[in-house]
Amino acid sequence: MHKAICTVCGQAYGGFAAHSLTKTEAKAATYTETGNNEYYTCSVCQKVFKDAAGTQETTVEAETIAKLTRPSSGGSSSHGDRDPSYAVTAPSTKNGDVTVSPKNASKGDRVTITVTSDKGYELDKLIVKDASGNKLKLTDKGNGKYTFTMPGSKVTVSAEFVEEQAASIFADVPADAYYAKAVEWAVKKGITNGKANGLFGSNDSCTRAQIVTFLWRAAGSPAPKGTAKVPADVLPGSYCYDAVAWALENGIINGLADGTFGVNNTCTRGQSVTFLYRAMGTAPTTVNGFTDVAADSFCADAVAWAVENGVTNGTSATTFSPNNGCTRAQIVTFLYRAYQGK
């Protein structure tokens, strides 16, 4: 009786009688005999090692051991002529899916990994490691497929997915800016094309005419019915005329106290969320908790709706700053967030 010890990971298999294994022991470690030595496949690290009368000796290559035959009266080797195979595992991950083929492979086989990202996400990291923690070389085959050559051990595939980064369309819209995706979305939807100088004007003030036009275009640029009286400062034929007429007809906006629309006036935070709320919002289930937004304010419900639906938060824990002006980047971001899931 003696112990066999894996020379790779140190796993010990005890109480083996010479040239024999019990059924229980056979499940823990399989072996093939040749001469006076016994060869075992470790159930922990899947490496093949040689044991001679309980003395730890050298590791033997898996493909060599697989070809050895166990002496018996006409019996065949426990492995036969087949190379041993090892598992390829790919634990589940968030925001994407990873599959492998085949799920068991022999040393030298080519294994294919297929990566599929969830909508709005992209692959950030794909790592393949053998049983010893060594990284394996990957070959990118395109279309989310990668291959590697199977080592003589089990393999683990891990992947990480991150949110897609928007392309930098304008020089003043960095790809990592909070409004980058919103700008990209707005351009794709034909809501805005930026300014004549090739910039988006991210930090420029957003006018009342601009936000109403953005809303109108997001709604599909519907033709006005001609039932509303358009204020005199909205000139027929101007880029915002139909948008203002449509917004007036649908109760999205009102004119100012002096009878004008205020085409070039900067749109405030209170006005912006009110326009969005009237165009596409539903009654909030909570009340706004900001000290600078009175319960009877024209924008009270709109502010509560905007916060409840992730359109925007306050400027502090207790203030919303409804009279602060909005930039073009902020307005497009509010619109983008409001339209998510619509």
Side-chain angles (χ1 to χ4, degrees):
M1 303 285 284
H2 62 273
K3 289 185 178 181
I5 302 174
C6 177
T7 60
V8 179
C9 70
Q11 174 71 15
Y13 301 97
F16 290 172
H19 310 304
S20 67
L21 289 174
T22 66
K23 290 183 179 180
T24 300
E25 290 166 341
K27 292 180 181 178
T30 58
Y31 75 102
T32 301
E33 298 175 12
T34 179
N36 294 321
N37 295 324
E38 296 172 343
Y39 294 88
Y40 301 90
T41 301
C42 180
S43 62
V44 177
C45 69
Q46 302 299 313
K47 294 289 187 179
V48 177
F49 62 95
K50 180 173 68 174
D51 175 72
T55 302
Q56 181 174 315
E57 294 193 359
T58 59
T59 300
V60 181
E61 292 296 331
E63 60 265 34
T64 301
I65 298 305
K67 294 177 182 178
L68 297 175
T69 58
R70 182 178 181 178
S72 64
S73 56
S76 60
S77 166
S78 60
H79 292 291
D81 293 329
R82 297 176 300 167
D83 290 341
S85 64
Y86 307 96
V88 182
T89 58
S92 60
T93 185
K94 294 181 179 179
N95 308 316
D97 185 53
V98 179
T99 59
V100 295
S101 180
K103 293 183 178 180
N104 290 278
S106 299
K107 183 176 181 179
D109 288 350
R110 185 175 71 174
V111 179
T112 300
I113 304 171
T114 302
V115 178
T116 306
S117 305
D118 290 347
K119 184 178 180 180
Y121 290 85
E122 60 187 0
L123 180 67
D124 182 43
K125 295 179 181 178
L126 181 63
I127 300 173
V128 180
K129 292 183 179 181
D130 64 14
S132 299
N134 300 312
K135 291 184 180 180
L136 304 183
K137 181 182 178 181
L138 285 172
T139 301
D140 188 349
K141 294 295 185 179
N143 296 320
K145 293 187 181 296
Y146 302 81
T147 62
F148 68 89
T149 301
M150 191 69 180
S153 75
K154 64 180 181 180
V155 165
T156 302
V157 180
S158 61
E160 292 182 15
F161 298 87
V162 295
E163 287 191 72
E164 290 179 339
Q165 280 200 340
S168 184
I169 302 173
F170 302 101
D172 60 343
V173 181
D176 59 352
Y178 77 88
Y179 50 85
K181 283 188 178 181
V183 171
E184 182 181 47
W185 169 81
V187 171
K188 287 181 178 179
K189 294 289 185 179
I191 295 170
T192 180
N193 290 315
K195 303 175 68 175
N197 60 2
L199 301 177
F200 182 71
S202 304
N203 297 318
D204 292 356
S205 297
C206 186
T207 66
R208 284 167 55 88
Q210 288 173 339
I211 186 175
V212 169
T213 302
F214 294 167
L215 268 171
W216 175 64
R217 290 173 179 165
S221 303
K225 300 175 183 178
T227 58
K229 181 180 179 181
V230 180
D233 62 331
V234 183
L235 302 178
S238 62
Y239 79 92
C240 65
Y241 186 87
D242 284 352
V244 172
W246 165 81
L248 286 167
E249 290 173 355
N250 288 278
I252 296 171
I253 61 171
N254 295 310
L256 301 178
D258 62 3
T260 66
F261 174 68
V263 173
N264 296 316
N265 290 9
T266 298
C267 186
T268 66
R269 284 171 55 81
Q271 291 170 347
S272 66
V273 295
T274 299
F275 295 166
L276 285 167
Y277 173 60
R278 291 173 180 170
M280 57 192 303
T282 56
T285 60
T286 58
V287 296
N288 85 82
F290 299 108
T291 58
D292 57 352
V293 180
D296 60 353
S297 170
F298 78 93
C299 64
D301 285 348
V303 169
W305 166 81
V307 173
E308 191 174 286
N309 289 274
V311 175
T312 184
N313 293 313
T315 53
S316 75
T318 58
T319 60
F320 185 77
S321 302
N323 297 321
N324 284 10
C326 288
T327 64
R328 284 169 53 84
Q330 290 170 338
I331 292 296
V332 168
T333 301
F334 294 169
L335 188 61
Y336 169 67
R337 291 171 180 168
Y339 265 88
Q340 295 309 293
K342 298 294 183 181

